[in-house]
Amino acid sequence: MKSSQYVSYLLHTFGNFTATHLANHSAGVSHDSVSDFLRQSRITPRSLWRMAQPFIDDGPESCLILDDSVQDKRYSRFIELVKHQYSGAVPGLVRGICIVNLVHSNDGAYFPIDYRIYDPLSDGKTKNDHFREMFIRALSDKNIKANTVLFFFFYSSADNLKLIHRSGLRFITTLKNNRRVSPSKETGYVGLEDLTWDETALKHGILVRLKEVPFPIHLFKIVAPNGHIDWVITNNPDLNLTTSVVKSSNAARWQIEEMHREIKQLTGIAKCQSRKGRAQRNHIACAYQAYLALKAQAIEKSKTVYAVKHALLEDFFCHVFANPKIP
């Protein structure tokens, strides 16, 4: 069994992503050959970058987006890598496999370029460790030229902010409501909701300090129509920077959520039933390759990845409707 066969299966099947289903619909492929491929292969995240690189339109105007996604396996009891963890899709605790993703985005086109499976029992690494490792390798190994890094508040630790700032890049992220900032030496550290916002501050933000961060932070208060408040920060100290510009830049973060939804719905990334962790890792790696193939077709044909996937059934439907199997 070759990896290209397995990736093709993930691309062309719907709903049932199992070794039995693949074996039943492939000449010369047995259930054991599929299981052996998943258990014995070693496909790493580096393969994702090799495939994605030709499609990356990189430059200072592009950005990197980082976030994690939980592959829901709530009914699994004996699958390695599965643990209880928080999922925003539920929301709440769910049994699943967590993947920390790095996405490259430019002018609305976004591609996953790296990922890490969160498994602290095997490597002792936290999600923030994976965050920093992927960021460093994006600059050193992949030579990414993006000038902006976007991520959610879970990753807005002082260590992450300092790393990005030392690297000469701009970050845009959010703060949890319980974070404390210092607008001046006189006031000291106060809660976000205790800050005073006049018209100028609402338009251009305010400079504050965060604990353990040795440089000023530009803080913006973004209020949604329903009253929800996002506390957005950046290391861009330009006092002429406006809230509307920061809001627009920050909105690009949601492209990684779109990627999470697409890869789950179209490639069966969470559907592998193999118990071994190595099999799960190989299945996930193949799912990313399948997703990139869909993205490439979508760009070539100016369609969405959903349209590309569903178009695979068009010839079948036309044939069946013209020649119904059940009279």
Side-chain angles (χ1 to χ4, degrees), residues 32-321:
D32 288 345
S33 67
V34 179
S35 298
D36 290 344
F37 161 74
L38 289 174
R39 288 198 311 268
Q40 298 171 8
S41 300
R42 189 172 183 84
I43 311 174
T44 68
R46 289 183 182 275
S47 63
L48 174 63
W49 170 242
R50 287 195 296 268
M51 288 189 64
Q53 188 175 7
F55 303 103
I56 300 300
D57 182 15
D58 190 33
E61 71 286 352
S62 57
C63 64
L64 294 173
I65 314 173
L66 291 106
D67 193 23
D68 58 79
S69 174
V70 175
Q71 314 310 308
D72 192 334
K73 292 184 178 291
R74 66 184 71 190
Y75 302 112
S76 305
R77 293 294 178 266
F78 306 103
I79 294 180
E80 297 174 1
L81 305 180
V82 173
K83 64 189 293 290
H84 279 101
Q85 45 204 324
Y86 179 82
S87 171
V90 176
L93 288 178
V94 66
R95 287 179 57 80
I97 298 175
C98 181
I99 307 175
V100 185
N101 288 292
L102 175 63
V103 168
H104 183 281
S105 173
N106 189 6
D107 195 25
Y110 53 90
F111 296 88
I113 61 173
D114 204 353
Y115 69 90
R116 294 291 184 276
I117 294 177
Y118 173 56
D119 184 28
L121 293 179
S122 67
D123 57 26
K125 295 181 180 180
T126 66
K127 294 180 185 178
N128 282 289
D129 290 333
H130 291 308
F131 175 106
R132 290 187 287 273
E133 179 180 297
M134 288 194 295
F135 173 76
I136 292 171
R137 292 192 175 183
L139 302 186
S140 61
D141 297 354
K142 300 178 178 64
N143 199 29
I144 294 295
K145 303 300 183 184
N147 194 44
T148 306
V149 188
L150 309 175
F151 46 97
F152 290 81
F153 63 78
F154 181 86
Y155 295 98
S156 60
S157 66
D159 287 341
N160 292 347
L161 300 183
K162 288 187 289 187
L163 172 62
I164 296 170
H165 188 77
R166 287 197 304 266
S167 301
L169 275 68
R170 299 297 189 193
F171 61 74
I172 300 177
T173 184
T174 53
L175 293 179
K176 290 188 69 174
N177 292 333
N178 60 359
R179 292 287 286 268
R180 297 173 68 82
V181 299
S182 174
S184 67
K185 291 183 178 179
E186 293 72 25
T187 60
Y189 287 92
V190 299
L192 292 170
E193 295 181 353
D194 296 326
L195 294 171
T196 301
W197 294 84
D198 57 22
E199 185 176 343
T200 300
L202 288 173
K203 183 176 180 180
H204 295 286
I206 57 175
L207 292 180
V208 298
R209 290 280 181 171
L210 281 174
K211 285 187 177 181
E212 301 181 7
V213 178
F215 49 86
I217 298 294
H218 209 158
L219 173 67
F220 294 84
K221 181 180 182 180
I222 298 178
V223 184
N226 63 359
H228 175 78
I229 297 175
D230 275 331
W231 305 100
V232 181
I233 60 170
T234 178
N235 58 336
N236 186 341
D238 183 5
L239 294 178
N240 292 319
L241 191 64
T242 64
T243 301
S244 60
V245 170
V246 172
K247 180 180 179 181
S248 176
S249 299
N250 184 56
R253 286 185 304 132
W254 291 100
Q255 290 177 342
I256 198 170
E257 296 294 344
E258 294 178 29
M259 190 276 290
H260 289 163
R261 183 179 66 252
E262 291 166 350
I263 197 170
K264 285 180 180 179
Q265 294 179 352
L266 300 177
T267 70
I269 190 171
K271 301 297 185 181
C272 180
Q273 298 178 5
S274 298
R275 293 186 177 185
K276 292 299 181 180
R278 172 45 53 191
Q280 290 289 335
R281 290 178 183 273
N282 288 327
H283 170 82
I284 288 169
C286 289
Y288 276 97
Q289 293 184 21
Y291 177 73
L292 279 178
L294 286 171
K295 287 284 288 186
Q297 283 284 300
I299 292 174
E300 180 181 337
K301 298 182 178 181
S302 299
K303 295 182 178 179
T304 67
V305 287
Y306 291 99
V308 171
K309 177 86 174 188
H310 295 153
L312 298 174
L313 291 176
E314 289 181 357
D315 291 342
F316 167 76
F317 284 138
C318 291
H319 175 74
V320 170
F321 293 157

